[in-house]
Amino acid sequence: HLAGAQADGKVVLFRDYVAGKGAHYPVLRLLPTGELDQEYNPGPQPEVAGLYLLTAGTLDRQGKLILGATRGVGVQLLRLNHDGTVDPQFQMTGVAGFSTPRALVVLDDDRIVFGGSEADVVRVGSQWTGRYLARIFPDGRHDTSFKSPLPLFGAVSVILPLPAGQL
């Protein structure tokens, strides 16, 4: 899957990844020449290996990769630095549950909106909300001011950002 092109012409890709199935390079970056960028991905990525299935990805405005994945029975988002290491400044909190992120978008204010499939249920704190869209701050904290429309039918597979933070 294409996550996006960085300002320097390098292209970031990720592929579906199932832990334990031998996919040692779930995230790749290509140089403008099309060659694999060895500095970005020098070998197996143990930080990503704990994720069950990579399902969505996008680049933020700084060119860092944000990945959506399932981890056990919950959704996990993580951000990778320019060298491919996990960004410790990004800690997703307050959003968990039975969810598979299918779409990610970074808004102009750097908040992140993600959506999933129709069977997904999101737990925020101790509350099961049944929301299929969630928004988090740039550091990964849940943005509780965002109210997902209910009900949604089908999968949220594309999120289109509009002016003034609308979707």
Side-chain angles (χ1 to χ4, degrees):
H1 304 283
L2 174 66
Q6 296 175 315
D8 59 4
K10 295 176 183 174
V11 175
V12 180
L13 307 166
F14 71 96
R15 62 177 160 194
D16 295 338
Y17 173 76
V18 178
K21 297 293 183 188
H24 293 288
Y25 303 100
V27 181
L28 308 169
R29 184 169 68 187
L30 302 179
L31 299 170
T33 62
E35 297 173 274
L36 181 65
D37 184 348
Q38 296 293 336
E39 292 180 14
Y40 185 78
N41 190 9
Q45 296 172 333
E47 299 91 347
V48 178
L51 301 176
Y52 177 67
L53 179 65
L54 298 178
T55 56
T58 192
L59 295 177
D60 68 12
R61 294 186 319 148
Q62 293 75 41
K64 293 182 177 183
L65 176 62
I66 299 170
L67 289 170
T70 59
R71 173 176 244 143
V73 295
V75 61
Q76 178 70 41
L77 270 61
L78 64 123
R79 184 171 58 202
L80 301 184
N81 290 314
H82 294 284
D83 63 358
T85 59
V86 173
D87 183 350
Q89 301 301 315
F90 185 86
Q91 297 289 322
M92 193 173 121
T93 59
V95 181
F98 299 96
S99 185
T100 301
R102 302 279 181 209
L104 287 167
V105 67
V106 178
L107 304 175
D108 288 341
D109 62 2
D110 293 325
R111 289 180 297 175
I112 302 159
V113 176
F114 63 96
S117 62
E118 68 179 317
D120 295 341
V121 177
V122 175
R123 182 171 58 108
V124 179
S126 62
Q127 303 272 327
W128 291 96
T129 66
R131 296 184 182 144
Y132 306 109
L133 291 170
R135 184 171 65 197
I136 59 176
F137 291 106
D139 63 0
R141 290 176 298 119
H142 182 240
D143 180 354
T144 58
S145 70
F146 181 78
K147 305 298 180 206
S148 175
L150 290 176
L152 292 175
F153 301 100
V156 177
S157 57
V158 176
I159 301 171
L160 179 63
L162 300 172
Q166 296 179 344
L167 301 173

